[in-house]
Amino acid sequence: MASNFGSTIRVALFGQSHSAAVGVVVEGLPVGFSVDQARLDAFMQRRAPGHSAWATPRKEADKLRIVSGLNPAGQTCGAPLCGLIENTNTRSQDYETLKRIPRPGHADFTAQMKWHGYQDVAGGGHFSGRLTAGLCIAGGIALQLLDERYGIHVAAHIQEIMGIADTPFEAYNTSAEKTELLTQQMELLAQLPATQLPVLNKDADQAMRQAIAQVKEEQDSVGGIIECVTTGIPAGIGGPLFDGIESALARAVFGIGAVKGIEFGRGFAAARMHGSEHNDAYTIHDGKPCCVSNNAGGNLGGITTGAPLLFRIAVKPTSSIARPQHSVDMSCNELANLEIVGRHDPCIVPRAVPVLEATTALVVLDQLLSFPVA
């Protein structure tokens, strides 16, 4: 099972939703870096379940244990870093029928076709969003490394839920004024408590909360769009074709459950633009060439331009809903109705925001170390 990615920074996830623990093994981290455990714990809590009205009621402390990879002073020591989180609040009995009757929208059916009953179905097993805790362990450390050693910063926010749009990042114009506005937006998001939706507009926060509450009341779910930006990354990082920054991000991002689409810069809107509109002209700033605009989203040919690296992902509605749904009983090959029990998010988008930041940080750090400027 392919549960790893990266070249110099190798990330491997382990565990299942209801196994004893979930976690991550990270190889290739630069040595001598002091991990701020309090900062890492705070980042982990943004993803943790059971702490908000829009999240699953499953209560997990998500107390992180780093069992290898640090010396007694708390610095990376060159050994593989292993971080794990124990699962303490499981109800595996809620999932006993899923080997027979698959949930629409989940991987129950495809897992049965591949492993013929040997898979762990409890909580979705290895397909569960619970596995993203491991991404946040590794990515939380990568975020600190990028910030402190390289001056590179990553931030994400909910751009849209049910047609309710947040203020977009000021990342398409590279003027000093817009760059300052983008910095302010990223600082605002960094200051938001975990109890608030990661949005830039307070009105959008309230409207999104109401929309999520409504679909929860209707025993349904909703998805959304997340926008992510990376600043401070120098020009020349990455490579052409399959090792480029876009390719690496796409591969890693599609490892996050429920992600159904990704676009960079203007993305699909570029298909409706003229070349004269979409091309980013060049100028000289501080004695160096740079782009005037950033329609490309900070990369050309898989290599960074020095402008903010900007992309968005589409997140599907949570597949587990309380409404009755049509399925099949695979044990007798007959039609069946399914009413899902258990504890599920009416909207996973808010908890996916830190996961996207973590994944982006890991890819950027890996690209920085694997494919530096020649």
Side-chain angles (χ1 to χ4, degrees):
M1 186 178 290
S3 304
N4 56 78
F5 68 94
S7 297
T8 299
I9 305 294
R10 296 288 299 172
V11 180
L13 302 180
F14 64 83
Q16 300 106 257
S17 179
H18 290 195
S19 60
V22 295
V24 67
V25 175
V26 191
E27 297 180 282
L29 289 172
V31 299
F33 179 73
S34 296
V35 175
D36 186 332
Q37 187 72 50
R39 181 179 173 185
L40 182 57
D41 288 340
F43 179 72
M44 295 296 299
Q45 287 306 303
R46 291 175 56 199
R47 193 221 67 91
H51 302 301
S52 63
W54 54 79
T56 169
R58 175 178 174 177
K59 296 284 187 180
E60 293 282 2
D62 273 10
K63 182 62 178 177
L64 169 63
R65 290 175 54 204
I66 297 180
V67 298
S68 68
L70 300 180
N71 62 24
Q75 301 166 315
T76 51
C77 62
L81 185 143
C82 178
L84 60 84
I85 294 172
E86 294 182 0
N87 289 325
T88 61
N89 187 10
T90 59
R91 292 191 340 207
S92 299
Q93 68 274 12
D94 290 344
Y95 302 88
E96 291 177 357
T97 65
L98 299 186
K99 286 185 181 178
R100 294 189 301 108
I101 305 176
R103 296 168 295 178
H106 276 281
D108 302 330
F109 171 74
T110 51
Q112 178 66 21
M113 294 299 100
K114 189 171 186 66
W115 292 300
H116 310 293
Y118 291 103
Q119 71 276 11
D120 180 5
V121 298
H126 195 65
F127 296 98
S128 171
R130 185 83 180 128
L131 273 292
T132 60
L135 281 174
C136 284
I137 295 170
I141 294 172
L143 285 164
Q144 293 183 30
L145 259 165
L146 289 174
D147 179 12
E148 297 180 25
R149 285 201 174 179
Y150 301 101
I152 296 173
H153 310 287
V154 180
H157 72 116
I158 303 172
Q159 179 176 300
E160 182 181 318
I161 287 178
M162 285 190 68
I164 303 163
D166 188 27
T167 304
F169 280 132
E170 291 285 357
Y172 288 120
N173 188 311
T174 60
S175 68
E177 178 185 2
K178 296 298 184 180
T179 299
E180 178 59 28
L181 285 174
L182 177 58
T183 299
Q184 292 173 6
Q185 289 177 320
M186 297 174 76
E187 290 175 347
L188 172 63
L189 290 168
Q191 295 166 4
L192 291 178
T195 53
Q196 285 189 236
L197 287 173
V199 294
L200 297 164
N201 187 307
K202 291 182 179 180
D203 292 337
D205 179 298
Q206 291 303 312
M208 288 179 185
R209 286 173 185 265
Q210 292 172 7
I212 295 170
Q214 181 64 33
V215 296
K216 182 178 181 180
E217 181 69 22
E218 296 170 353
Q219 297 185 320
D220 215 331
S221 64
V222 66
I225 299 171
I226 303 173
E227 185 176 49
C228 185
V229 70
T230 303
T231 59
I233 187 168
I237 302 301
L241 301 176
F242 306 113
D243 284 333
I245 188 80
E246 285 177 313
S247 301
L249 275 168
R251 179 177 188 269
V253 164
F254 277 112
I256 303 171
V259 173
K260 302 302 290 183
I262 186 169
E263 63 175 4
F264 292 85
R266 294 293 182 182
F268 283 96
R272 297 185 292 272
M273 299 171 69
H274 291 108
S276 56
E277 297 174 291
H278 186 265
N279 290 346
D280 296 313
Y282 294 101
T283 187
I284 301 295
H285 181 70
D286 291 337
K288 297 180 181 178
C290 63
C291 295
V292 175
S293 56
N294 188 31
N295 295 314
N299 80 99
L300 292 168
I303 301 172
T304 57
T305 65
L309 181 63
L310 180 72
F311 69 98
R312 287 166 297 280
I313 63 169
V315 181
K316 72 176 183 177
T318 313
S319 298
S320 289
I321 58 176
R323 287 186 177 189
Q325 299 179 84
H326 297 301
S327 186
V328 294
D329 189 329
M330 293 185 290
S331 66
C332 57
N333 216 31
E334 295 181 354
L335 298 177
N337 289 321
L338 178 67
E339 291 192 34
I340 297 174
V341 295
R343 302 159 294 175
H344 310 285
D345 303 65
C347 181
I348 62 173
V349 177
R351 294 176 61 208
V353 170
V355 179
L356 184 60
E357 291 175 349
T359 305
T360 301
L362 287 166
V363 171
V364 169
L365 181 60
D366 184 46
Q367 290 272 307
L368 198 67
L369 299 178
S370 302
F371 307 103
V373 179

